[in-house]
Each structure stands twice: as C-alpha cells, then as structure tokens.
Amino acid sequence: MSSRTGTPPLRKPDQVLRHRLARSACEVAGTRHTPGDVLAWMDERAQVQTHEVEVIAFDELDRWGFDRLTGNIQHDTGRFFSVQGLSVETSSGSVGSWTQPIINQPEIGILGILVKEFDGVLHCLMQAKQEPGNVNGVQLSPTVQATRSNYTQAHGGAAVPYLDYFRDFAQHRVLADVLQSEQGTWFYRKRNRNMIVEVDTEVELLDDFQWVTLGQLNALLAHDDAVNMDARTVLSCMPAGFEGAHDTVGDGLAEAIARSCDAYAGSISSSAEVLSWITSRQSEHQISTELIPLRSVRNWRHTEREIHHESGGFFSVMAVRVKTNSREVSGWTQPLIQPHGLGVVAMLVKNVDGVLHALVNARVEPGYLDVVELASTVQCSPETYTKLGMEQHRPPFLDHVLSAEPGRILFDTVLSEEGGRFYHARNRYMVIEVAPDFGGDELPDYRWLTLHQLNGLLQHSRYVNVEARSLIACLRGLR
C-alpha cells in the first residue's frame, strides 16, 4: 500500500541505538582525532578567525537604540531581540516583588548537531565558533546555532552552513527534536529547538567544522570554556546510551551511573510520583510576571555605558562592537547582559542501593513559560548575596558545596554560558558525591531522581532548565 500511495514505510525503532551511542561515548582516543587534536584544531581556528570585540557606549550602537516612549533597547528592523523591563510578583523566595531588565526574544532558534558513522563509530559534527561574549574566543558549538532572524538572513548576510539538514530531514533520521528553555533569569520565555539528526550520505566538511565522538566531547567538557552552552544543551537531549563509558571514576560509581540510566533499576521515587511532585510544585508556587517599559524598572541605574542595579549585584546591560571574518556578516554592534561574579551550578549525587541519584530543585524563575523547571541542587551567584547583605538567605546546600572534600568532587569545571547574548558569563559546574544517608528531600522543593528519570524528562519541553541540562551532559560523561 505504501508504494501505491507514495507514503513512506514506517521505520522500526532502532533497538541498537543505545549501544551505538555507548560505543561512541567509549571512543575517547578516537578513530580520526584525539581530544588533544581537537583542542589544537580549535586553537588553529582561533588564529585564523578574526574576532575583535570592543565594549562601547550605548550611543555608539548601530541600528540599535532606545525606544523614545518605552526606553526599550531594540533593533531598527524589529527582529533579533529587545531588552525590556519585567515586573515580578511571587510567593517563592525571600523577595516577593521586583522589577528588572530582561531579554525578550520570542522567535525560536535552532540548535542542531549532525551525527554520522565513521569506522563503525558515531561522530558529531561540531563547529569552532566565536561569540562576542565568549571569554576566550573560540568554543566548540553545535553544527547549527542560529536564531530565526539569523537563518532567515534578516541581517542581510550569508546563509547558515548545514541548515538544510535541520529544516528538511525527510531523508535523514531524527534522534532528538525538542523545544527547550533558556536562562529564566535573563530571558523572557525563550525557547530553542534542540535537534540531533543522523545522516549516512556524504557531508562536505567546511574549515570551521570537525567530526568528534561522544567520548571526546565528554573529555572536552572537563576543560574550562571549551564546549559552549548550546552544545551542552543539545548533548543533554541525546537519547540515553552511555553505559560503559565510565572507566576511571571507580568501579562502584561507574556501575551506579550505568544502572542510573537503566529503566529497570530501582529508584527512590516512581516516575508517576516524580510527575506528581512536579505538578505539586507548579501548583503551590505562585508567580505573576508582566513585561513593562525598560524605563519603568525600579532600583536600576542607567549610565552612558551600562544599566546596573544600585546594589552592584545581579547583572548589567552593556553594548559591544564586533568585527569578524568568520560569521554571516563581517561586523555589527549589539547589547549584551553581563552577569556579576562567577556563578555556582552544583549537583549532589548519591549511590542508593547501587543506583546513582541526583538531588534536583524545583526552581522558580521569572522568565519560565511554566512556574518551575527542575534545576541542579545549587544554582546561584554567591557574590550577589554578599552585595545585597542577604547572607542569611543563601540557598540550601550552597555551604555544603563550597566546603566539599576534594575526594567527593567528581566534576569541577568552569564553563561559559551563551556568548551571543551574555558577556563573560561563566559558572563553576560541579558534581559532588554525598553519603547514601544524606537527606535533602525533606525540603518540599527537592527530590532525588535517577538519570533515567531525568533522561525521560529531557525528551519533553519545560521540565529541566538549561543549567541543569549542562550538568547532566557533564554527569553522563564522567570518566
């Protein structure tokens, strides 16, 4: 019937996909390159790519400006994004109401990784990409990382390489395709399409692109500022299949990580109980947000070069001029968000009867489309509490994280956030093992979940926030 009607035959599920992913995750030395080779290649691309970033005053912005009525910062085309004000009222946390600047970017972008098998091993096509807010220039990014304004060429520049694989994939195989949120403290209801597409045809390899195994990506995640945020969030959406990839964290922990990915391994809470808990947190917490004119935000000061909170905490809005030879256009200016201080994103994990569990937090942020999303155990900027004189309101478990014994720290790397909207935004990402009898879930907003449960939630939108997705990608690849 399919041949007569022209309808393509139904594809059977790939029963061996998880094994193919596991093999790629185990392949660190590489069939084509080593992790060291990839880092050397990134350094070489950084030398070839011209990328000059200069902090400028707001009145030096070209095609961007402050709206006469609202004070909002916006592009003269009305595309890309705008910086507006947000009014917040909430029953969660120690502050019940406030106003702040926030990025409003309603269009949905594409973050996509193309995968292909070489010598029997799946490889990911990664890009050496400069972003204006990167602290170190080139970082490893997805095959495609583009806003709708970019890939529809609203800037009048060149087309985005490899985009067609993620817009017309009838002849290819989709491994993941899910809308995921961005930072809820800096973005208003922002989402991107996180995609992984497998191809078995020949793919032209452009200069700024390289094929890398999952094992090599896992190794590179342990290097400061090497793998960018957009790559990490897409990797977190990769279907589970990483058992056997953990060979140097100790046999007991390696087995606990592998079993944590197993649907049949025991967990503290059933999947139904986890969903009920999330629903309860959505119902219990109250938050109301409203976009307002940027000129109406309270307790924020506007100078020639930045908009900052009067306490000196949180973040600033600033502007940059960019000159480059490696992007769709050769130069532009734009506003950016500059966080104050190094953030901490940490996950506490424990071995429960041979199964690794992670302590997650149902976290309220004003930019979420829903009330809460699951975050890491700790996600904060400690410096802000000091500047605000609110040390007594430091989040639960922060002191435990900062005083953790070195032998219990399984992962500790400083990683950058998205450099296209944030200037030198970096977090210290940590995974810390605690004793099996460690509590935490006596607090209503915290619950112990297995990796399998988190992997299941990652196949859907608006369950796991972007910082936690980064840490899950790191946790899966622990070596």
Side-chain angles (χ1 to χ4, degrees):
M1 180 178 294
S2 296
S3 60
R4 292 198 302 271
T5 63
T7 302
L10 294 175
R11 286 183 174 174
K12 295 181 180 179
D14 186 349
Q15 301 298 333
V16 299
L17 175 60
R18 67 189 186 96
H19 300 297
R20 298 168 66 216
L21 293 171
R23 181 177 178 184
S24 182
C26 289
E27 189 62 67
V28 180
T31 61
R32 302 165 68 88
H33 315 282
T34 67
D37 292 336
V38 177
L39 288 172
W41 168 75
M42 291 170 63
D43 288 339
E44 181 268 327
R45 297 318 302 166
Q47 297 301 315
V48 172
Q49 295 180 12
T50 299
H51 202 82
E52 300 176 5
V53 180
E54 176 189 3
V55 178
I56 60 175
F58 288 127
D59 62 10
E60 296 180 67
L61 284 167
D62 179 33
R63 304 193 66 180
W64 291 83
F66 291 92
D67 181 79
R68 183 174 56 85
L69 295 177
T70 64
N72 296 345
I73 306 175
Q74 56 195 34
H75 196 264
D76 62 11
T77 62
R79 303 288 297 276
F80 302 104
F81 63 94
S82 60
V83 181
Q84 302 180 221
L86 187 72
S87 176
V88 183
E89 293 187 4
T90 180
S91 63
S92 176
S94 56
V95 179
S97 65
W98 71 89
T99 61
Q100 65 168 87
I102 200 162
I103 298 174
N104 185 16
Q105 187 175 341
E107 61 186 32
I108 293 174
I110 292 177
L111 306 177
I113 293 179
L114 198 65
V115 300
K116 179 178 168 63
E117 201 169 274
F118 294 96
D119 302 318
V121 179
L122 280 177
H123 287 65
C124 302
L125 185 60
M126 307 302 291
Q127 180 181 180
K129 190 179 181 71
Q130 299 254 17
E131 292 282 8
N134 285 0
V135 70
N136 62 332
V138 164
Q139 295 185 19
L140 210 58
S141 77
T143 316
V144 168
Q145 176 183 319
T147 66
R148 183 173 181 82
S149 291
N150 287 144
Y151 68 73
T152 57
Q153 297 173 268
H155 45 49
V160 176
Y162 304 109
L163 178 66
D164 288 346
Y165 288 102
F166 300 94
R167 301 195 70 192
D168 180 13
F169 41 77
Q171 304 304 313
H172 313 303
R173 182 172 180 222
V174 179
L175 303 185
D177 189 357
V178 59
L179 289 178
Q180 296 289 15
S181 62
E182 300 284 299
Q183 286 85 351
T185 54
W186 301 330
F187 273 119
Y188 182 71
R189 300 184 177 181
K190 176 73 174 74
R191 294 176 296 164
N192 276 322
R193 192 175 178 183
N194 288 231
M195 304 179 68
I196 303 169
V197 174
E198 184 179 2
V199 61
D200 57 12
T201 57
E202 191 67 27
V203 177
E204 180 186 5
L205 187 63
L206 303 177
D207 286 342
D208 290 331
F209 295 80
Q210 190 62 267
W211 293 103
V212 185
T213 69
L214 287 173
Q216 291 165 341
L217 286 170
N218 290 338
L220 292 166
L221 282 167
H223 290 261
D224 288 358
D225 304 308
V227 181
N228 81 356
M229 184 209 78
D230 296 301
R232 300 192 304 266
T233 179
V234 179
L235 288 171
S236 76
C237 297
M238 185 77 76
F242 297 90
E243 60 271 26
H246 318 279
D247 58 1
T248 61
V249 292
D251 291 341
L253 182 58
E255 178 65 21
I257 294 173
R259 292 192 63 200
S260 187
C261 292
D262 189 342
Y264 300 102
S267 57
I268 293 176
S269 302
S270 69
S271 294
E273 289 170 335
V274 170
L275 290 174
S276 176
W277 169 67
I278 295 172
T279 302
S280 75
R281 305 332 297 153
Q282 298 276 16
S283 303
E284 290 293 328
H285 289 294
Q286 301 293 319
I287 186 167
S288 173
T289 60
E290 179 185 4
L291 288 171
I292 61 174
L294 183 59
R295 66 168 70 253
S296 298
V297 297
R298 304 183 301 274
N299 307 120
W300 290 78
R301 302 291 177 255
H302 188 156
T303 72
E304 294 180 352
R305 301 181 74 87
E306 66 174 10
I307 300 171
H308 64 271
H309 193 263
E310 60 187 12
S311 69
F314 304 111
F315 61 87
S316 298
V317 182
M318 39 89 78
V320 296
R321 177 182 293 112
V322 184
K323 295 180 181 179
T324 182
N325 65 354
S326 60
R327 296 294 293 273
E328 292 83 13
V329 293
S330 60
W332 70 92
T333 63
Q334 68 169 94
L336 290 172
I337 295 287
Q338 181 179 21
H340 295 176
L342 180 69
V344 173
V345 179
M347 192 81 81
L348 299 184
V349 299
K350 68 179 181 179
N351 187 334
V352 180
D353 297 327
V355 179
L356 192 80
H357 285 66
L359 185 61
V360 298
N361 171 216
R363 180 180 173 89
V364 178
E365 292 188 3
Y368 289 158
L369 191 59
D370 284 330
V371 177
V372 305
E373 291 191 11
L374 300 189
S376 302
T377 317
V378 172
Q379 177 190 319
C380 71
S381 176
E383 182 178 308
T384 292
Y385 292 93
T386 301
K387 289 185 175 180
L388 292 176
M390 298 177 62
E391 294 283 351
Q392 71 276 21
H393 295 295
R394 286 156 66 94
F397 311 110
L398 174 60
D399 292 333
H400 187 91
V401 165
L402 296 181
S403 63
E405 298 175 4
R408 290 193 172 272
I409 300 175
L410 308 180
F411 184 89
D412 188 358
T413 305
V414 175
L415 298 171
S416 295
E417 302 309 314
E418 208 275 314
R421 297 292 176 267
F422 312 130
Y423 186 77
H424 294 185
R426 306 170 81 212
N427 282 308
R428 183 184 178 190
Y429 282 87
M430 305 177 71
V431 177
I432 299 169
E433 186 178 17
V434 296
D437 61 353
F438 189 95
D441 52 359
E442 69 277 3
L443 300 177
D445 288 332
Y446 293 81
R447 184 65 61 96
W448 290 98
L449 273 62
T450 66
L451 286 176
H452 173 73
Q453 290 171 326
L454 289 168
N455 291 337
L457 294 171
L458 282 165
Q459 306 310 306
H460 304 277
S461 301
R462 306 198 301 273
Y463 274 124
V464 183
N465 79 0
V466 67
E467 292 88 353
R469 296 198 303 272
S470 278
L471 204 45
I472 289 168
C474 299
L475 177 55
R476 282 177 172 175
L478 277 178
R479 298 193 66 79

